[in-house]
Amino acid sequence: ITFRDEPFLRGHGTLNNSVALTNHGVVRPGVAVGQLTINGQLSVEPESVFKFQMYDASAQAGSPTGWDHLQVTQSIDFQSSARDAYHLEVTTVDDEGLAAPVLNFDPRFNQQWSLISAASLGGLDESSFSLDAMGFQSEHTLPRGADFHLSATDTELLLNYDVVLGDFDLNRTLDARDIDQLSAQIRTGNADLTMDLNLDGELNLLD
């Protein structure tokens, strides 16, 4: 099956065909949240878009109570290794598919989610994807320096959330300068919640 003219492949279940995405094709697994399986190969041209939704950050990939997942039983052929050749969007939703904070997500800890799995990911470099995680909502303000990025193995494309909690000067090291910055911010009386280490919605000596 070849999708052209701004195609949109959406839904859950299994498609028993190989698929070619061309001309800004869009893949959106799930109806609200779920898994789309392509029983065959997937060929992906540059400018293709992948959209994923997440309901519960600690549930299972592809489950209706977890996050969207694309499974390809054979190989995925990404036809360009150029930087930002493809686009990937991640948003968080409620049980009706409406934008909402994700469940069971603790922004103080690193986390990782599988978005795409295949027998092999031919020609894929994670830098080939531009990532838009602006639609990822958390019940708590993300700590300063928190970062979403993609990584790839031979068979999976993964969404990663990384944070060094308390690294206020963003040098990836916890040291006295971070304590000094926190103390100075507390003294101002202004609650910069990116520095709220215990997620109580306040900035004080408990942090």
Side-chain angles (χ1 to χ4, degrees), residues 12 43 52 60 82 88 95 116-117 120 128 144 148 180 183-184:
H12 63 266
S43 176
F52 295 87
Q60 183 176 354
L88 191 146
D95 55 3
I116 299 174
S117 300
S120 68
S128 298
R144 186 176 297 186
F148 289 96
D180 291 343
S183 299

Side-chain angles (χ1 to χ4, degrees), residues 107 138-144 161 192-196 199:
S138 169
E139 292 183 357
H140 303 285
T141 301
L142 299 186
R144 186 176 297 186
Y161 170 80
D192 180 353
L193 295 184
T194 66
M195 304 175 79
D196 176 23
L199 304 183

Side-chain angles (χ1 to χ4, degrees), residues 38-50:
I38 296 175
N39 189 16
Q41 295 181 322
L42 175 61
S43 176
V44 185
E45 286 191 356
E47 305 299 329
S48 295
V49 178
F50 295 80

Side-chain angles (χ1 to χ4, degrees), residues 20 36 38 47 57 72-73 79-80 82 92 103 132 148 178 183 194 206:
L36 175 63
I38 296 175
E47 305 299 329
V72 179
T73 60
Q79 297 182 15
S80 174
T92 56
L103 298 180
D132 180 359
F148 289 96
D178 298 305
S183 299
T194 66
L206 295 177

Side-chain angles (χ1 to χ4, degrees), residues 83-89 126-132 150:
R83 187 173 185 86
D84 297 339
Y86 312 100
H87 185 63
L88 191 146
E89 300 176 12
E126 52 263 33
S127 67
S128 298
F129 275 90
S130 65
L131 173 63
D132 180 359
L150 298 171

Side-chain angles (χ1 to χ4, degrees), residues 32 48 52 66 90 103-104 112 136 151 172 177 183 191 199 207:
S48 295
F52 295 87
V90 178
L103 298 180
N104 296 316
Q112 185 178 73
F136 190 105
S151 63
R172 307 297 291 180
R177 287 174 295 182
S183 299
L199 304 183
D207 296 298

